[in-house]
């Protein structure tokens, strides 16, 4: 009997653990940070950063980025229409710099590189 | 190899026969293993495999060439009075050791080239192993007779060797010793290469698509001329590739009369190439076997699945999402 109970316990424990892990993983994988680029007129471009976790203060991030990259930018909140959350939009091509900033552990956000996707050419 | 040296010297002072023997074995093993790491760290008792080797060696002796005979004789002599003939034997052996060192280096290099183990290597192994086993067995017999001091020698000779194909040494069916990781790994790759000779070739052959031809239409549009051709090559629907291109480039466009794609914005060939490359990685190549021979199909619940034609694996891929696209140009009229 005791053996059975133990086995059952194990069984019940394992799937839950896996499920928890799975859900955690899926949420992690789903929450990609997308860095995109868009062409404007001429040589001008826009860089958009979508999906920065809400635990960070986007306004502060923007302030730091603007100073560091010497560019202007805005926060576009697209929460209602498409559910994209707040998107940081910067003027110019800053994709690689943004990625460095997001992954930097000392001066940046220290995010995992795997959660960041760079789009565009 | 550094761990080998001190042991080598220590043993050399005591008994040269055993030491040379051991060296040989290690070399043979090093030539077999891809990593070429010495297996000296973990030594099992060779006593367990002593009874097995002599008959095999006897059988092999028949097949080995005549040049083998004198060496055997010398070895015999050495064992008859183990501490007497040391010097001469040592010289002989040393030469051999050097030669085989070179060979093993070659073998390791060949194996290290990721191309698995080629034929020449196998031949070498076959030639070498019987020789050593032959002498090895003889010496083991002699050493067993001696007992005492020699007890350690077989222990050191418990370095994991043996012919994988013949199923000898550590590869014997009824062998109970645990096999080291490195030999196992090399065995795995050797078998893999043996059973699937086409794998190595597919790994090296790169997947080629015709380079995208980009023309400029006016000032603000780019024409991607050979999209149908590329899609055909990748076996993907034009629309799918187009959607991906638009999503990645963050633009829009249309298809003109002769099925060319007109993209809004200025793009160079290189940029389109980069996007196509990411497309191929994400939607064409099989993640399991890296073969580009795959099919994209719509699965049951509106999910896209990639089915590999060469290995049969199936995986789901993300739908193409445009994501956020900023307002460029004229402002939206609907915005309050």
């Amino acid at each position: 009997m005791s053996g059975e109970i133990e086995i059952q316990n194990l069984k019940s424990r394992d799937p839950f653990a896996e499920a928890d892990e799975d859900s955690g993983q899926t949420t992690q994988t789903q929450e990609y940070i997308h860095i995109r680029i868009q062409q404007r007129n001429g040589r001008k471009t826009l860089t958009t950063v979508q999906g920065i976790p809400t635990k960070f203060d986007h306004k502060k991030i923007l302030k730091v980025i603007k100073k560091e990259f010497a560019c202007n930018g805005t926060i576009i909140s697209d929460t209602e229409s498409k559910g994209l959350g707040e998107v940081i939009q910067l003027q110019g091509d800053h994709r690689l710099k943004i990625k460095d900033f997001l992954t930097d552990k000392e001066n940046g956000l220290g995010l995992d590189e795997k959660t960041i996707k760079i789009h565009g050419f | 190899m550094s761990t080998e040296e001190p042991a080598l010297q220590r043993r050399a002072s005591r008994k040269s026969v055993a030491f040379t023997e051991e060296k040989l074995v290690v070399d043979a093993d090093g030539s077999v293993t891809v990593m070429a790491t010495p297996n000296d760290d973990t030594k099992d008792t060779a006593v367990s495999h002593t009874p097995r080797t002599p008959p095999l060696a006897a059988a092999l002796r028949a097949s080995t060439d005549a040049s083998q005979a004198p060496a055997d004789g010398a070895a015999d002599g050495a064992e008859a009075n183990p501490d007497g003939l040391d010097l001469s034997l040592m010289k002989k052996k040393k030469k051999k050791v050097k030669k085989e060192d070179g060979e093993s280096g070659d073998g390791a290099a060949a194996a290290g080239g990721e191309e698995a183990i080629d034929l020449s290597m196998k031949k070498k192994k076959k030639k070498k192993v019987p020789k050593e086993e032959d002498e090895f067995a003889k010496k083991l017999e002699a050493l067993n007779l001696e007992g005492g001091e020699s007890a350690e020698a077989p222990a050191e000779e418990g370095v994991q060797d043996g012919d994988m194909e013949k199923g000898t040494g550590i590869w014997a069916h009824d062998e109970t010793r645990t096999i080291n990781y490195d030999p196992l790994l090399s065995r795995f790759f050797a078998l893999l290469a043996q059973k699937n000779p086409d794998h190595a070739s597919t790994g090296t052959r790169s997947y080629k698509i015709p380079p995208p031809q980009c023309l400029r239409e006016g000032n603000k549009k780019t024409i991607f001329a050979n999209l149908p051709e590329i899609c055909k090559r990748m076996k993907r629907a034009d629309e799918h590739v187009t959607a991906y291109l638009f999503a990645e480039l963050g633009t829009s466009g249309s298809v003109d009369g002769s099925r060319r794609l007109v993209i809004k914005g200025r793009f160079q060939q290189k940029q389109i190439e980069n996007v196509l490359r990411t497309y191929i990685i994400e939607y064409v190549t099989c993640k399991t076997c890296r073969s580009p021979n795959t099919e994209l199909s719509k699965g049951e619940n509106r999910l896209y699945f990639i089915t590999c034609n060469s290995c049969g694996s199936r995986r789901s891929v993300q739908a193409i999402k445009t994501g956020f696209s900023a307002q460029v140009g004229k402002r939206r009229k609907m915005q309050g």
Side-chain angles (χ1 to χ4, degrees):
Chain A
M1 282 302 287
S2 65
E4 275 180 27
I5 288 166
E6 269 175 19
I7 289 166
Q8 277 176 351
N9 278 349
L10 278 176
K11 273 179 185 172
S12 64
R13 205 182 284 163
D14 273 349
F16 275 123
E18 278 174 322
D20 282 347
E21 277 173 16
D22 273 357
S23 61
Q25 277 171 1
T26 45
T27 47
Q28 270 176 10
T29 47
Q30 274 171 1
E31 278 177 13
Y32 275 120
I33 296 173
H34 298 277
I35 302 174
R36 293 196 177 79
I37 191 166
Q38 266 187 298
Q39 279 196 336
R40 281 179 63 221
N41 41 355
R43 285 190 55 181
K44 290 169 185 172
T45 49
L46 285 177
T47 309
T48 58
V49 185
Q50 177 196 326
I52 291 179
T54 43
K55 65 178 178 184
F56 297 109
D57 189 344
H58 290 205
K59 260 190 185 170
K60 272 185 186 164
I61 290 174
L62 182 70
K63 215 163 205 176
V64 174
I65 286 176
K66 274 162 77 172
K67 193 148 195 175
E68 205 164 302
F69 301 164
C71 68
N72 206 351
T74 54
I75 292 173
I76 296 168
S77 52
D78 210 348
T79 36
E80 296 93 23
S81 61
K82 284 173 190 169
L84 300 174
E86 291 192 324
V87 178
I88 293 180
Q89 180 179 318
L90 300 166
Q91 293 175 5
D93 184 357
H94 300 289
R95 285 174 296 164
L96 295 178
K97 282 187 273 181
I98 280 272
K99 194 192 168 193
D100 287 344
F101 174 78
L102 291 178
T103 51
D104 195 348
K105 280 193 177 129
E106 286 171 20
N107 306 319
L109 303 183
L111 293 164
D112 191 5
E113 206 170 309
K114 284 169 194 161
T115 62
I116 299 170
K117 266 192 177 178
I118 295 185
H119 298 264
F121 33 82
Chain B
M1 283 306 202
S2 59
T3 53
E4 203 176 323
E5 294 311 317
L8 199 144
Q9 281 162 12
R10 176 169 54 79
R11 295 201 48 82
S13 59
R14 200 141 42 103
K15 202 145 179 275
S16 58
V17 181
F19 131 64
T20 43
E21 186 63 58
E22 189 195 336
K23 188 96 202 289
L24 276 177
V25 171
V26 170
D27 275 341
D29 213 281
S31 75
V32 174
T33 51
V34 181
M35 310 292 185
T37 46
N39 300 342
D40 303 11
D41 324 313
T42 53
K43 265 145 204 161
D44 304 290
T45 51
V47 184
S48 62
H49 79 201
T50 39
R52 182 189 36 74
T53 30
L56 170 88
L60 286 171
R61 204 175 307 153
S63 64
T64 45
D65 50 353
S67 68
Q68 193 58 39
D72 278 351
D76 274 348
E79 276 134 29
N81 44 355
D83 296 321
L85 254 174
D86 267 355
L87 265 179
S88 64
L89 199 85
M90 191 164 167
K91 265 176 203 164
K92 240 186 226 167
K93 283 288 170 75
K94 272 233 165 131
K95 264 179 215 162
K96 217 176 182 181
V97 166
K98 260 177 204 167
K99 202 179 73 192
E100 289 197 352
D101 255 340
E103 273 178 18
S104 74
D106 286 353
E114 254 195 330
E115 292 297 305
I117 301 163
D118 55 349
L119 256 182
S120 64
M121 164 105 179
K122 262 182 206 155
K123 264 183 202 159
K124 250 182 232 159
K125 204 172 83 184
K126 264 188 193 165
K127 259 188 229 157
K128 243 192 285 171
V129 170
K131 246 195 207 173
E132 281 149 21
E133 289 249 47
D134 202 345
E135 290 172 25
F136 183 44
K138 288 207 146 204
K139 275 176 197 169
L140 273 181
E141 279 177 279
L143 289 171
N144 277 345
L145 288 177
E146 279 172 37
E149 192 193 9
S150 63
E152 204 195 330
E156 294 250 349
E157 279 152 13
V159 173
Q160 310 207 327
D161 73 329
D163 199 322
M164 206 171 67
E165 285 152 46
K166 294 193 189 86
T168 64
I170 45 168
W171 308 113
H173 183 63
D174 52 351
E175 187 59 62
T176 49
R177 276 180 298 155
T178 51
I179 303 170
N180 281 351
Y181 177 72
D182 285 344
L184 276 178
L185 189 69
S186 63
R187 174 174 177 269
F188 165 71
F189 276 110
L191 282 177
L192 192 71
Q194 245 176 40
K195 298 269 152 64
N196 312 292
D198 53 331
H199 266 196
S201 58
T202 49
T204 50
R205 201 204 318 142
S206 63
Y207 181 54
K208 284 198 182 96
I209 56 161
Q213 290 168 0
C214 289
L215 314 165
R216 181 67 54 75
E217 186 184 88
N219 205 16
K220 288 189 170 174
K221 282 177 187 167
T222 311
I223 296 182
F224 184 4
N226 58 349
L227 178 76
E229 197 187 329
I230 290 174
C231 291
K232 216 174 172 185
R233 182 82 178 74
M234 297 191 297
K235 291 187 211 152
R236 290 290 176 275
D238 288 12
E239 291 78 36
H240 194 255
V241 182
T242 319
Y244 185 79
L245 276 175
F246 287 159
E248 284 295 293
L249 297 172
T251 55
S252 58
S254 55
V255 182
D256 75 352
S258 46
R259 288 186 75 206
R260 297 184 302 181
L261 185 68
V262 182
I263 309 169
K264 274 187 192 167
R266 291 186 216 167
F267 297 101
Q268 275 142 19
Q269 190 194 328
K270 222 177 194 176
Q271 296 172 321
I272 304 255
E273 229 177 84
N274 281 339
V275 178
L276 278 178
R277 203 164 284 145
T278 53
Y279 177 84
I280 288 169
I281 289 168
E282 207 158 323
Y283 290 100
V284 180
T285 51
C286 169
K287 282 273 192 297
T288 316
C289 68
R290 296 217 189 108
S291 148
N293 184 14
T294 56
E295 266 169 31
L296 182 74
S297 55
K298 217 172 208 178
E300 40 270 25
N301 28 1
R302 280 188 279 175
L303 291 169
Y304 281 100
F305 283 95
I306 284 185
T307 319
C308 181
N309 287 339
S310 49
C311 73
S313 78
R314 194 158 173 268
R315 72 177 173 106
S316 70
V317 288
Q318 286 180 326
I320 296 168
K321 260 199 237 163
T322 324
F324 174 79
S325 68
Q327 174 62 32
V328 175
K330 282 178 195 167
R331 296 206 181 154
R332 264 174 286 184
K333 280 167 193 166
M334 294 302 287
Q335 207 72 27

